[in-house]
Amino acid sequence: MERKKIIAANFKMNLTSEEIDNYINNFEIDKKNVIIFPSSIYIDRFKDKNISLGVQNISQYDDGAYTGEISANQVKDLVDYALIGHSERRTIFNESDITINEKIKSAQRYNLKVMLCIGESIETRKANKTMDFLSNQLELDLKDVDISNIVIAYEPIWAIGTGIIPTVKEIESTIKFIKEKVKNLTGHDIMVLYGGSVNLKNIEELEKISNVDGYLIGGASLDSNNFKKIIEVVDNQ
Ligand code: PGA
């Protein structure tokens, strides 16, 4: 079955209140395969848009004394997805695979779909250890979770925000590996997106990759016109 590609925007900690309003006014997109992950405080502003919405992070706890955290229980009626395991959460905020696994379980207790990010560092890639590394991440992150509502975003850390992307061949073989690994672990097929410096200049080239099921886009999604053009390229293929 041919599934529509997912085109996701990760705004990270960008855009002011005014910039978000301008973005929304200029974003006349009506597609559920488009997901926006804004800062949590702005999620509600997108409520009249016919797109999918997500949170950039979620607590592993359901509720209680966890200052500054947001739980799946709190956002379950506002969003469709929780982005879990982004490399910035893993490296800057020291999230372990155990925590990430707990976060997936927490999201699933409240019926949120999960976009799980995995990806290797440049040192791992150079040492030819990428597949071992990803394999380990998948085993730990997906331990005892329900795979049916999870999509994976493969984001090599060295490609995020750098303007450098892997070759088409590298992306294709890594995605193939991830799909096979998940199938071995769970018996199920999974959608795998690519993320890391996706932009209007490289999207046509990336679209030649046969097994990519969509994209997770940071910097290039922050300008609504730019993001709309990328959506157009992907949806018109
Ligand atoms: P980038 O970010 O497109 O700016 O590289 C992607 C991401 O971090 O999800």
Side-chain angles (χ1 to χ4, degrees):
M1 189 188 72
E2 175 79 8
R3 279 185 285 197
K4 232 178 163 19
K5 282 187 185 165
I6 291 174
I7 312 153
N10 175 11
F11 286 177
K12 310 192 181 184
M13 200 175 71
N14 292 300
L15 303 177
T16 63
S17 177
E18 194 184 341
E19 285 164 345
I20 280 284
D21 282 341
N22 292 338
Y23 196 107
I24 291 169
N25 289 336
N26 189 38
F27 197 70
E28 51 303 282
I29 293 282
D30 209 2
K31 290 170 188 280
K32 280 297 201 185
N33 62 321
V34 170
I35 311 169
I36 293 192
F37 293 93
S39 293
S40 302
I41 50 166
Y42 301 138
I43 286 168
D44 209 36
R45 304 223 199 146
F46 286 85
K47 65 176 182 295
D48 296 330
K49 294 278 168 194
N50 191 27
I51 56 169
S52 297
L53 283 172
V55 278
Q56 297 174 11
N57 176 36
I58 201 82
S59 171
Q60 64 269 46
Y61 307 111
D62 290 357
D63 42 44
Y66 302 102
T67 301
E69 292 290 286
I70 297 176
S71 72
N73 191 13
Q74 292 175 307
V75 294
K76 63 180 185 293
D77 300 323
L78 304 175
V79 297
D80 310 278
Y81 282 88
L83 188 67
I84 298 179
H86 190 280
S87 70
E88 287 148 20
R89 301 290 324 167
R90 291 177 189 263
T91 54
I92 306 170
F93 300 100
N94 296 321
E95 285 186 13
S96 68
D97 288 301
I98 291 171
T99 305
I100 286 159
N101 176 258
E102 287 172 352
K103 289 185 174 203
I104 296 175
K105 288 176 179 159
S106 168
Q108 295 193 327
R109 277 197 289 281
Y110 296 95
N111 296 320
L112 293 180
K113 293 180 199 159
V114 168
M115 186 177 291
L116 168 68
C117 301
I118 60 170
E120 80 287 0
S121 67
I122 193 64
E123 293 78 19
T124 302
R125 172 65 66 174
K126 282 188 175 153
N128 276 329
K129 296 215 169 100
T130 298
M131 304 311 180
D132 285 348
F133 181 83
L134 296 177
S135 195
N136 188 49
Q137 277 191 326
L138 288 168
E139 280 170 25
L140 297 173
D141 297 353
L142 297 179
K143 193 167 188 302
D144 302 326
V145 305
D146 168 13
I147 200 70
S148 58
N149 275 326
I150 299 184
V151 299
I152 289 180
Y154 167 57
E155 298 205 303
I157 299 171
W158 48 278
I160 296 176
T162 58
I164 303 164
I165 60 167
T167 62
V168 162
K169 263 196 167 154
E170 278 172 326
I171 297 176
E172 198 153 37
S173 60
T174 312
I175 288 184
K176 181 168 179 277
F177 173 82
I178 293 169
K179 289 187 177 185
E180 283 171 2
K181 177 74 193 179
V182 173
K183 184 93 179 179
N184 282 342
L185 280 175
T186 68
H188 288 271
D189 293 322
I190 198 156
M191 290 180 82
V192 181
L193 320 188
Y194 169 75
S197 293
V198 176
N199 60 37
L200 203 46
K201 286 200 191 99
N202 56 31
I203 191 68
E204 304 223 11
E205 186 68 12
L206 289 167
E207 275 293 272
K208 291 181 189 154
I209 303 171
S210 61
N211 58 1
V212 70
D213 297 309
Y215 305 95
L216 177 57
I217 306 167
S221 71
L222 293 175
D223 178 291
S224 55
N225 287 325
N226 211 34
F227 188 43
K228 281 192 293 189
K229 283 184 197 152
I230 295 175
I231 294 168
E232 215 171 282
V233 173
V234 177
D235 267 356
N236 289 337
Q237 288 293 315

